[in-house]
Amino acid sequence: MNPHSIKAACFNCTLRELCMPAGLTDGDLDKLDGLVTARRKIKRGVPLFANGDQFTALYTIRTGFFKTSVTTESGRDQVTGFQMAGEIIGLDGIVGDHHTCDAIALEDAEVCVMPYSRIEELSREVPALQNHVHKMMSREIVREHGVLLLLGSMRAEERLAAFLLNLVQRLHARGFSQTELVLRMTREEIGSYLGLKLETVSRTFSKFADDGLIEVKQRHVRIVDARGLRGIVNKPACN
């Protein structure tokens, strides 16, 4: 794709407000014309980058879903996050100039490539871009703290309820349904992320369905009672 078609695609992209800084002037937009240097298509199951790869760019997910994971000392694959269209991936590589996790496409996907050297250069000229990058890094820190809280203090039902509510909220921000979603990840991957065994995840899905909180048809999930799910997450701990 040539630079002019990339520029046009960015201008018309429905995700522009999610992945680009707000409050840019016309002059700022002109400077950011060359921020996205390429598009990459990633097939399902193929890594966008792997642990140890040299860090060169950040990636905005245009279409598709990704998971990030690390391999534990025992050789087990530990899922550390799920990323969707409109979100930026690759921030893990900023600190040490190498990626510290694998990013695997959960379905056929397309990403916009933003070389980090170009981001640094433009950040000095466009303060809004620098602020945007700082906010992205802050969100990642907040997300990691949220995961630690999830794994450290919540029961299985609370973990899965919080996961489903967070997922549908993020999808809704991208124009999708507020109540229906298709799980691009397997139950095993959900269990890895939430620190739960596969059997526990399956059992909890079934319990939610029996209790009338959700409807499940394979990977299709419909939130029937969002208030009920929120009630599980916010339920006071027993003494």
Side-chain angles (χ1 to χ4, degrees), residues 41-57:
K41 292 182 182 295
I42 311 294
K43 288 291 186 181
R44 178 185 176 187
V46 174
L48 173 61
F49 55 78
N51 181 23
D53 284 355
Q54 184 176 2
F55 169 71
T56 59

Side-chain angles (χ1 to χ4, degrees), residues 76-92:
R76 182 172 56 87
D77 186 47
Q78 172 66 53
V79 176
T80 58
F82 299 104
Q83 297 79 27
M84 64 182 66
E87 296 181 341
I88 291 178
I89 193 169
L91 291 164
D92 63 291

Side-chain angles (χ1 to χ4, degrees), residues 28-45:
D28 290 338
L29 288 172
D30 288 338
K31 292 177 182 177
L32 295 181
D33 273 353
L35 185 58
V36 175
T37 59
R39 292 265 190 83
R40 281 182 59 187
K41 292 182 182 295
I42 311 294
K43 288 291 186 181
R44 178 185 176 187

Side-chain angles (χ1 to χ4, degrees), residues 58-76:
L58 296 179
Y59 306 91
T60 298
I61 302 172
R62 182 169 168 79
T63 60
F65 249 82
F66 285 83
K67 71 171 181 180
T68 48
S69 63
V70 296
T71 302
T72 65
E73 291 183 0
S74 63
R76 182 172 56 87

Side-chain angles (χ1 to χ4, degrees), residues 7 13 75 138 155 170 188 191 238:
K7 177 182 176 182
C13 182
S138 178
R155 299 175 293 108
R170 288 158 64 195
E188 186 174 11
C238 296

Side-chain angles (χ1 to χ4, degrees), residues 127-224:
L129 177 60
Q130 185 179 54
N131 187 47
H132 187 60
V133 173
H134 289 164
K135 283 184 177 180
M136 288 189 299
M137 296 176 72
S138 178
R139 278 198 298 266
E140 187 67 12
I141 292 170
V142 171
R143 184 196 67 79
E144 289 186 356
H145 285 173
V147 172
L148 289 174
L149 176 64
L150 196 71
L151 299 181
S153 63
M154 290 185 173
R155 299 175 293 108
E157 290 183 17
E158 294 172 310
R159 296 182 192 187
L160 186 59
F163 173 75
L164 291 174
L165 289 169
N166 174 264
L167 199 58
V168 79
Q169 179 185 17
R170 288 158 64 195
L171 286 166
H172 181 59
R174 285 144 184 82
F176 293 96
S177 170
Q178 201 167 7
T179 58
E180 297 190 18
L181 63 152
V182 178
L183 297 174
R184 304 301 181 185
M185 65 291 293
T186 66
R187 280 163 172 65
E188 186 174 11
E189 288 167 335
I190 294 173
S192 176
Y193 178 63
L194 297 178
L196 300 172
K197 293 182 179 179
L198 172 60
E199 297 79 8
T200 303
V201 174
S202 297
R203 186 170 60 249
T204 307
F205 264 110
S206 296
K207 185 178 188 307
F208 285 175
D210 292 342
D211 291 344
L213 299 173
I214 63 174
E215 291 179 356
V216 183
K217 293 182 179 178
Q218 296 180 332
R219 293 197 176 190
H220 292 260
V221 176
R222 186 168 78 88
I223 308 294
V224 178

